[in-house]
Amino acid sequence: TQLLEQSPQFLSIQEGENLTVYCNSSSVFSSLQWYRQEPGEGPVLLVTVVTGGEVKKLKRLTFQFGDARKDSSLHITAAQPGDTGLYLCAGGTYKYIFGTGTRLKVLA
Amino acid sequence: EAGVAQSPRYKIIEKRQSVAFWCNPISGHATLYWYQQILGQGPKLLIQFQNNGVVDDSQLPKDRFSAERLKGVDSTLKIQPAKLEDSAVYLCASSLAGPMNTEAFFGQGTRLTVV
């Protein structure tokens, strides 16, 4: 059974700080997606990583897929209050599952 | 392009009552998902359809939950009878194909409160 564990579960930081969110599994994934969810809304896709070792950048967000395709990370540089939200990794070969989620709060 | 439509947005029921949620996926999307999301947690997959066939329903509490996808398009999720622990947001999503290398598009969800 494929499972995705995220850490940390909660993160509260000051504006301007950097942070990293991790998504780990014991299973290999053909790809992983990262989503961001705001209150009252469904998750919205940020990025898809496909190749082991791949690094993708989206403005201040940097996503990395582990070499073995079992883990991924999301790094935010100089966090802003607008980055506040629930960050989710997701993937699956047979069924599409989500990680446990990381709730980020960026204080002004 | 119209997104995933869900209704109702909110529902409050008493325990032991029944409730139904409706989802209209993006046109042409073969795969439809129903997730249960507890506040602050990641969505839990309840059931996944490929066209009108069930791909996975291993985490669907089948003694009280049921779901169908008629003609491979719209879908309904029913709970009967509801329990207090069913209070959650129920998200419907769809994707063009299966889970591999996919992007799932989500509706706004239905927030269910069981009192």
Side-chain angles (χ1 to χ4, degrees):
Chain A
T1 302
Q2 292 181 317
L3 293 172
L4 289 167
E5 293 284 340
Q6 289 185 234
S7 62
Q9 188 177 0
F10 301 101
L11 199 52
S12 181
I13 61 172
Q14 292 293 123
E15 182 176 4
E17 292 184 356
N18 302 332
L19 66 117
T20 302
V21 176
Y22 299 93
C23 173
N24 295 294
S25 177
S26 59
S27 304
V28 174
F29 283 78
S30 59
S31 68
L32 280 177
Q33 287 76 40
W34 282 93
Y35 291 80
R36 179 166 162 254
Q37 185 179 20
E38 298 194 27
E41 302 293 331
V44 176
L45 182 72
L46 295 173
V47 78
T48 297
V49 286
V50 179
T51 307
E54 181 178 8
V55 176
K56 281 191 173 179
K57 292 192 175 184
L58 185 65
K59 296 182 180 178
R60 295 176 293 101
L61 278 60
T62 301
F63 304 85
Q64 186 162 6
F65 201 12
D67 291 340
R69 291 184 288 131
K70 291 183 177 182
D71 57 88
S72 182
S73 64
L74 157 60
H75 182 81
I76 301 179
T77 303
Q80 299 177 359
D83 296 327
T84 294
L86 180 66
Y87 288 82
L88 299 159
C89 60
T93 303
Y94 170 66
K95 58 183 182 180
Y96 198 60
I97 62 170
F98 279 80
T100 47
T102 296
R103 181 167 294 282
L104 171 65
K105 186 169 186 178
V106 182
L107 305 169
Chain B
E1 177 183 83
V4 176
Q6 286 189 250
S7 65
R9 281 298 309 274
Y10 306 93
K11 191 73 177 179
I12 300 174
I13 62 172
E14 295 182 348
K15 60 184 179 184
R16 291 187 289 274
Q17 285 187 325
S18 63
V19 65
F21 312 129
W22 174 80
C23 174
N24 185 17
I26 293 174
S27 178
H29 279 197
T31 306
L32 185 147
Y33 316 82
W34 282 102
Y35 292 90
Q36 180 192 59
Q37 187 175 29
I38 305 296
L39 185 64
Q41 298 180 14
K44 182 180 89 171
L45 180 66
L46 293 176
I47 189 167
Q48 177 177 321
F49 293 95
Q50 181 84 11
N51 296 309
N52 60 350
V54 176
V55 173
D56 187 272
D57 63 357
S58 57
Q59 296 204 81
L60 187 73
K62 298 179 187 64
D63 58 333
R64 299 184 300 106
F65 286 63
S66 64
E68 60 181 3
R69 189 181 185 194
L70 297 175
K71 299 181 181 179
V73 183
D74 291 9
S75 179
T76 56
L77 176 69
K78 297 179 182 178
I79 307 175
Q80 182 179 11
K83 292 185 176 181
L84 295 177
E85 59 260 36
D86 297 332
S87 294
V89 174
Y90 291 84
L91 293 166
C92 178
S94 68
S95 63
L96 193 58
M100 293 181 65
N101 302 335
T102 196
E103 176 183 358
F105 295 83
F106 283 82
Q108 289 185 298
T110 296
R111 181 176 296 278
L112 174 66
T113 302
V114 183
V115 297

